[in-house]
Amino acid sequence: ESMTLKVKAAHGLRVPFENHAHRYIEQGAVEVENSLYYRRLLADGDLILVVTGKIEKKGSNNDNNRV
C-alpha cells in the first residue's frame, strides 16, 4: 500500500490539511500522507483520489444527504 495519496477536493469544497488547519486542499491535486484522516475524507466523498491521467471517485454518489 502506498505511503502517499494524490487527492483533490470534491467540486466546491475546501478541505483542511491534516496538520495545517488553515491550509486547504482545493481543486488542484496534491500528495498527502496515506492516513486515517485522508482515507475517511475519501470515503465521505469530500476528497477525490487522483489517478495518473484520470480521476477516480471514491464513496457513493448520493451526496450523503448533505444540506
Side-chain angles (χ1 to χ4, degrees):
E1 192 168 310
S2 177
M3 298 298 290
T4 62
L5 301 168
K6 193 167 191 177
V7 298
K8 70 179 212 166
H11 182 73
L13 294 182
R14 289 176 29 165
V15 178
F17 280 90
E18 182 172 19
N19 297 313
H20 302 280
H22 300 292
R23 288 186 52 218
Y24 295 92
I25 300 168
E26 298 187 47
Q27 270 53 72
V30 295
E31 284 202 14
V32 295
E33 185 179 331
N34 186 357
S35 69
L36 181 59
Y37 174 80
Y38 294 115
R39 289 194 306 268
R40 282 184 178 161
L41 288 167
L42 282 165
D44 289 345
D46 292 342
L47 287 179
I48 298 168
L49 187 62
V50 177
V51 181
T52 307
K54 65 179 182 175
I55 297 170
E56 177 183 315
K57 267 197 147 168
K58 289 283 190 180
S60 61
N61 293 328
N62 67 4
D63 273 342
N64 296 327
N65 299 320
R66 296 247 163 104
V67 177

